[in-house]
Amino acid sequence: MKINTKILILGSGGREHAFAWSLVNDENVATVYCSPGNGGTDAIAKNVDLDVSNHQSIIEFVKTNNIDLTIVGPEAPLADGIVDSFQKVGLPVFGPDKYASQLESSKLFARDMMADYNVPSPKYYACKNRDEVDLVKVALELPLVLKADGLAAGKGVIVCTTEAEYEAGLTTMFDKNAFGDAGAKVSVEDCLIGEELSVFAVCDGDDYVILNTAQDHKRAYDGDKGPNTGGMGAYSPTPLSTDDIMEKTKSTIIEPTLKAMRDVGHPFVGFLYVGLMVVDGEPFVIEFNVRMGDPETQVVLPLLETSLFELLWNATHGKIKDSTVKISQKTAVTVVLAAEGYPNSYPKGMEISGLEDDGLVFHAGTKKVDDKMVTCGGRVLNVVGFGNDLKSAIDDAYRIVEGVNFEGKFYRKDIGQKGLNRD
Ligand code: AMP
Ligand code: GLY
């Protein structure tokens, strides 16, 4: 294991603050840079302002500063081939290459792979226009799901339960062209009815380790109402993740997927986020992401008792099997504090108070201005609570929420309730 390492994290969300927080406390890590980072990473690491779309400028920074490992947080640079650019010049980077990133950046690429390798997934058809979808509807019937093929910031999925929703969905997809090029092709899918959970794996191309499970809350308002967001809160682990579900997820989903990527010469190195729907005790893939979730990272990493650096270093160097993984028995809950108006337009620049009090708070849309922490994004902060069970972790998180304030602070009051209702 290398010591005194220098790490560069690309991204600016709560996920990246959680990466930085894990890494700055690691005995093998000397320096952590974040680009662009946020107010939270600024306090514990070094923020640098690099243009992520200019791969050459990132590579220059990595060479000049002797960075030992670069970790790519969000999906856009992965889909844009940043890993391929690093690989061309022989620099270590944690994340899948552009081809393998299609597991997230093309829903149809992912569905085709799943079909070829018998990975449990809903029936689907590739469609390019209304007429094709209308034909598919005869076979699938309602409810069905319309999914823009390309990246759409988590918003490209329309679940159609009624005729009215179906018509509105077609209008959004095709007439309004709401997702631009990402919606030029659509995966029309059988709508699975069950319970959702996500499983996170760290992969080295051949092997993998499971980090944990989590459940996100994607809608803006309580009771899963309102518009879709990047995620308003999460908890880990989820009571849905029985040994049986985990074994099936490994053998019927993760292992065939890693094999598929090896078979086409693009071994999958990176975080594999497996979004599952559990139907009658059987896990089906709703989606893959090729990165950690945000805000799921903010609950998964604090429960990891062994070194994140060791995992990512070993995975990047093809020896994940050498890693030790120990996960806390506790439960973690994160509540997102958002700016009023999110996910639509919202004000910026409100001063934040209460951050100095006890409790783990990961920053997302924040920045330091003249010694004050102010808001600069829609999802502003992620408060994290812990407990010996879900109920006490929820109580802990909401206790911390009370003490952190900014004008227009808005958050869901029911994070974790879905899990409680199952116990
Ligand atoms: P995605 O962005 O693919 O995670 O989709 C967003 C949400 O749409 C998921 O969290 C599910 O709740 C729902 N969804 C997507 N695909 C399906 C499907 N085939 N069946 C049922 N629900 C789905
Ligand atoms: N929280 C969902 C995601 O990161 O895609």
Side-chain angles (χ1 to χ4, degrees):
M1 181 71 53
K2 199 164 161 88
I3 56 166
N4 278 329
T5 52
K6 292 179 165 183
I7 313 280
L8 171 64
I9 301 168
L10 299 177
S12 65
R15 167 182 51 210
E16 287 76 21
H17 188 191
F19 286 153
W21 171 85
S22 294
L23 293 168
V24 293
N25 293 316
D26 198 296
E27 60 184 13
N28 294 311
V29 177
T31 314
V32 177
Y33 295 93
C34 294
S35 176
N38 57 39
T41 60
D42 187 38
I44 59 169
K46 296 183 183 181
N47 282 0
V48 283
D49 202 10
L50 305 171
D51 174 5
V52 73
S53 64
N54 182 342
H55 297 179
Q56 205 44 48
S57 72
I58 310 265
I59 286 171
E60 283 308 316
F61 179 86
V62 165
K63 284 184 174 165
T64 311
N65 293 280
N66 299 312
I67 303 292
D68 297 290
L69 180 62
T70 300
I71 300 163
V72 187
E75 62 278 20
L78 294 168
D80 190 35
I82 192 152
V83 167
D84 309 58
S85 300
F86 270 63
Q87 284 171 345
K88 269 186 207 134
V89 291
L91 290 173
V93 58
F94 183 74
D97 68 11
K98 182 174 176 143
Y99 186 89
S101 296
Q102 290 178 94
L103 287 176
E104 176 168 0
S105 67
S106 167
K107 306 301 172 200
L108 286 165
F109 171 91
R111 285 288 182 231
D112 289 346
M113 183 283 290
M114 291 178 232
D116 287 347
Y117 283 77
N118 291 320
V119 172
S121 40
K123 261 194 229 152
Y124 74 104
Y125 297 87
C127 295
K128 289 191 297 300
N129 53 48
R130 271 177 165 268
D131 292 346
E132 289 180 3
V133 183
D134 278 337
L135 280 177
V136 166
K137 178 171 168 256
V138 177
L140 286 184
E141 300 181 340
L142 296 183
L144 56 72
V145 179
L146 303 174
K147 222 174 245 196
D149 179 53
L151 289 179
K155 304 202 172 93
V157 175
I158 304 173
V159 178
C160 310
T161 308
T162 61
E163 290 292 339
E165 284 167 349
Y166 173 74
E167 280 306 319
L170 289 182
T171 304
T172 306
M173 270 302 165
F174 296 110
D175 305 343
K176 293 192 182 150
N177 197 16
F179 307 114
D181 286 350
K185 281 191 288 177
V186 175
S187 178
V188 183
E189 305 185 351
D190 208 5
C191 183
L192 299 178
I193 313 279
E195 293 188 84
E196 281 187 64
L197 80 147
S198 302
V199 179
F200 302 93
V202 180
C203 309
D204 75 358
D206 290 316
D207 298 306
Y208 64 97
V209 297
I210 301 282
L211 273 187
N212 214 330
T213 61
Q215 194 169 42
D216 190 11
H217 297 63
K218 286 188 177 147
R219 301 293 195 100
Y221 313 133
D222 288 5
D224 288 337
K225 302 269 171 18
N228 259 321
T229 70
M232 293 299 289
Y235 64 95
S236 173
T238 98
L240 274 173
S241 49
T242 59
D243 289 348
D244 181 52
I245 300 274
M246 292 310 287
E247 280 314 310
K248 285 174 175 158
T249 301
K250 289 181 192 173
S251 61
T252 69
I253 297 172
I254 298 176
E255 286 158 25
T257 300
L258 294 186
K259 177 168 175 10
M261 292 297 106
R262 276 198 307 278
D263 286 351
V264 287
H266 293 271
F268 188 94
V269 178
F271 291 111
L272 185 64
Y273 169 140
V274 187
L276 296 174
M277 185 76 80
V278 178
V279 184
D280 297 331
E282 300 296 323
F284 290 81
V285 178
I286 291 286
E287 63 162 347
F288 284 125
N289 292 318
V290 299
R291 48 157 180 95
M292 277 300 286
D294 186 341
E296 293 93 325
T297 309
Q298 292 87 304
V299 281
V300 167
L301 289 188
L303 297 177
L304 177 67
E305 291 181 340
T306 42
S307 162
L308 175 70
F309 170 75
E310 181 191 304
L311 272 182
L312 304 189
W313 182 264
N314 285 346
T316 306
H317 295 88
K319 42 183 193 169
I320 191 85
K321 274 191 169 157
D322 295 353
S323 311
T324 353
V325 183
K326 189 159 178 280
I327 291 163
S328 163
Q329 292 301 305
K330 286 191 184 292
T331 296
V333 171
T334 185
V335 179
V336 171
L337 305 186
E340 197 164 21
Y342 175 79
N344 301 313
S345 62
Y346 49 81
K348 294 182 184 177
M350 283 87 69
E351 188 177 344
I352 304 166
S353 64
L355 288 171
E356 52 295 324
D357 294 346
D358 270 359
L360 183 58
V361 181
F362 291 123
H363 292 221
T366 72
K367 66 176 177 186
K368 195 109 182 257
V369 177
D370 302 334
D371 279 346
K372 290 187 176 131
M373 199 61 80
V374 302
T375 73
C376 71
R379 291 193 293 178
V380 177
L381 296 164
N382 307 260
V383 165
V384 189
F386 299 93
N388 289 328
D389 55 27
L390 181 55
K391 171 83 177 69
S392 52
I394 293 171
D395 292 345
D396 191 41
Y398 282 103
R399 177 186 61 78
I400 306 167
V401 165
E402 289 304 311
V404 181
N405 289 297
F406 53 88
E407 198 186 315
K409 169 179 100 171
F410 120 81
Y411 57 94
R412 275 182 64 161
K413 314 278 188 307
D414 64 345
I415 301 301
Q417 291 300 325
K418 273 189 271 192
L420 273 191
N421 295 341
R422 275 193 57 83
D423 279 343

